[in-house]
Amino acid sequence: MKILVTGGTGFIGSHTVVELQEAGYQPVILDNLYNSNKEVLTGLKAITGRDTPFYEIDSTDEAAVRKLFETEKFDGVIHFAAYKAVGESVAEPLKYYENNLGSLIVLLKVMKDFGVSNFVFSSSCTVYGQPDVLPVTEDTPRQPATSPYGNTKAISEDIIRDHVYAKPGLKALSLRYFNPVGAHPSAEIGELPSGVPSNLVPYLTQAAAGLREKLVVFGDDYDTPDGTCIRDFIHVVDLAKAHVKALELLNRQPETNFYDVFNVGTGQGNTVLELIETFERANGVKLNYTIGPRRPGDVEKIWAQSDKANSKLAWKTEKTLEDSLRDAWRWQQKITKG
Ligand code: WQD
């Protein structure tokens, strides 16, 4: 089965291409390389032994997307392509709404016209805001978004749901990611943040590699065991495998309208300091870090209940936080060496 992976040269997209290939699917990548580079294709070939078909297309370009659907007959679409920098979205909301919602609408329209019925969407736990009860389940009420980025994810879920129920024949899932971390164990692909990383683990590994003077922990006065924020850090390979399971669930559905949502997390929360300690222990390196002020907009604590994905997707995490941080460090050392 041929699967279109938009954003397939990105962090989660590239790892999902590997798992799709290994599960016998034929992934095809659509990416505009805005936040990734073609070198990823070399890494994918090193892992899979094959050239993954790649089309440099902007997923908001309807004519180009249509032309691709005329060229390739897809059995499904996994949609990763989106801008994802929380801070930037606050400064540039229109850029985020236009790109993230525009690309989704183009894809749904073109899929409908070409009779492609299986759709997996990359959503985020950010739709939960700061939950009152933890862990969060899929029934936990969504809270008003804390950023335009987060709002595009919530609105996208609603667009997909409304479209599915209006136009029978489409089967769609939204996967709500928690905090994807780590890299492929082969160190052939991993996270390639552009500029100064805003996410914790890439900044941490750059600091450990001496590319950054130190890591600043954003606040230790939260209501948590050690005062630092709690997150559900999931290995990117486990997250990638969840997408294969999601496609399998859609393939099992009768050809009618079907929409569902899954939390994709480990089900365990760790504090930022626990992550740092795990990184130091797993890799035998000492990290230079200090405690700084809170980062505005940060959620204090959130982690998933993934029972629904465990049962309905027949998926669960296999890798530990230590695995994630060992793989992240191996990848950082490789790209630092160049
Ligand atoms: C994690 C924790 C920070 C950097 C965001 C988006 C989410 C998804 C993942 C795109 C927080 C702390 C961080 C640093 C720190 N985005 N931290 N020092 O904010 O949980 O989630 O990224 O898919 O939708 O909301 O991830 O890695 O930025 O932060 O102390 O230099 O690490 O305060 O507690 P976050 P993060």
Side-chain angles (χ1 to χ4, degrees):
M1 296 183 82
K2 192 178 282 186
I3 304 297
L4 176 64
V5 182
T6 74
T9 52
F11 177 38
I12 306 166
S14 57
H15 287 80
T16 301
V17 165
V18 170
E19 299 309 323
L20 284 169
Q21 198 88 59
E22 296 191 352
Y25 289 89
Q26 287 173 274
V28 173
I29 295 174
L30 176 159
D31 205 302
N32 65 359
L33 302 176
Y34 172 82
N35 197 19
S36 59
N37 67 58
K38 279 181 88 166
E39 274 308 294
V40 171
L41 299 173
T42 309
L44 288 172
K45 179 155 188 178
I47 300 170
T48 65
R50 300 177 184 200
D51 288 314
T52 304
F54 167 74
Y55 294 86
E56 187 172 349
I57 292 174
D58 185 317
S59 46
T60 60
D61 179 347
E62 185 168 343
V65 173
R66 276 187 190 285
K67 194 157 174 290
L68 176 58
F69 274 67
E70 283 158 9
T71 312
E72 304 263 10
K73 177 146 180 27
F74 296 116
D75 301 290
V77 175
I78 304 180
H79 182 39
F80 293 103
Y83 296 153
K84 62 160 208 164
V86 174
E88 184 192 37
S89 77
V90 175
E92 298 290 344
L94 289 186
K95 175 180 172 183
Y96 273 67
Y97 288 114
E98 183 174 47
N99 182 69
N100 292 6
L101 301 184
S103 58
L104 172 68
I105 291 168
V106 162
L107 275 168
L108 292 177
K109 280 166 63 177
V110 174
M111 284 177 69
K112 183 78 195 142
D113 292 350
F114 283 83
V116 179
S117 60
N118 296 317
F119 186 66
V120 179
F121 176 64
S122 164
S123 190
S124 169
C125 64
T126 197
V127 304
Y128 295 116
Q130 174 55 69
D132 302 330
V133 177
L134 287 164
V136 286
T137 71
E138 289 81 358
D139 299 327
T140 300
R142 291 183 334 190
Q143 290 192 6
T146 51
S147 70
Y149 158 78
N151 207 23
T152 67
K153 291 300 182 182
I155 297 170
S156 293
E157 289 189 1
D158 293 348
I159 290 172
I160 297 163
R161 182 205 57 214
D162 294 348
H163 177 61
V164 165
Y165 292 140
K167 306 280 180 194
L170 184 62
K171 299 176 283 175
L173 297 177
S174 289
L175 303 187
R176 291 174 179 166
Y177 306 158
F178 284 70
N179 287 65
V181 290
H184 196 269
S186 66
E188 294 293 349
I189 55 173
E191 199 162 2
L192 281 170
S194 45
V196 180
S198 62
N199 290 137
L200 173 64
V201 172
Y203 198 103
L204 182 156
T205 57
Q206 287 186 12
L211 302 178
R212 305 280 168 201
E213 187 217 338
K214 62 183 175 183
L215 170 73
V216 176
V217 174
F218 296 148
D220 68 345
D221 57 349
Y222 288 100
D223 178 17
T224 64
D226 59 28
T228 61
C229 292
I230 296 175
R231 292 290 184 278
D232 184 329
F233 297 103
I234 177 171
H235 196 297
V236 64
V237 170
D238 280 334
L239 177 57
K241 288 181 174 175
H243 292 77
V244 177
K245 293 291 189 183
L247 280 177
E248 287 168 6
L249 174 65
L250 292 177
N251 291 334
R252 290 198 297 270
Q253 297 307 317
E255 291 301 316
T256 176
N257 54 350
F258 172 84
Y259 177 67
D260 210 348
V261 177
F262 289 96
N263 284 342
V264 187
T266 66
Q268 175 188 331
N270 284 106
T271 69
V272 173
L273 282 179
E274 283 168 351
L275 183 139
I276 291 171
E277 285 147 21
T278 305
F279 174 82
E280 291 182 323
R281 186 174 63 249
N283 296 304
V285 298
K286 197 85 190 82
L287 180 72
N288 181 18
Y289 69 92
T290 58
I291 305 292
R294 291 184 175 192
R295 178 172 67 176
D298 268 342
V299 161
E300 177 176 74
K301 47 193 166 192
I302 184 166
W303 65 93
Q305 187 194 89
S306 292
D307 297 5
K308 184 177 172 186
N310 298 161
S311 57
K312 292 182 106 176
L313 291 184
W315 166 90
K316 63 179 177 51
T317 45
E318 296 158 12
K319 292 178 179 282
T320 63
L321 182 60
E322 215 163 304
D323 294 329
S324 299
L325 297 171
R326 204 174 287 123
D327 292 339
W329 180 231
R330 189 182 304 117
W331 168 247
Q332 180 65 60
Q333 290 176 298
K334 167 147 184 216
I335 56 178
T336 307
K337 266 208 305 281

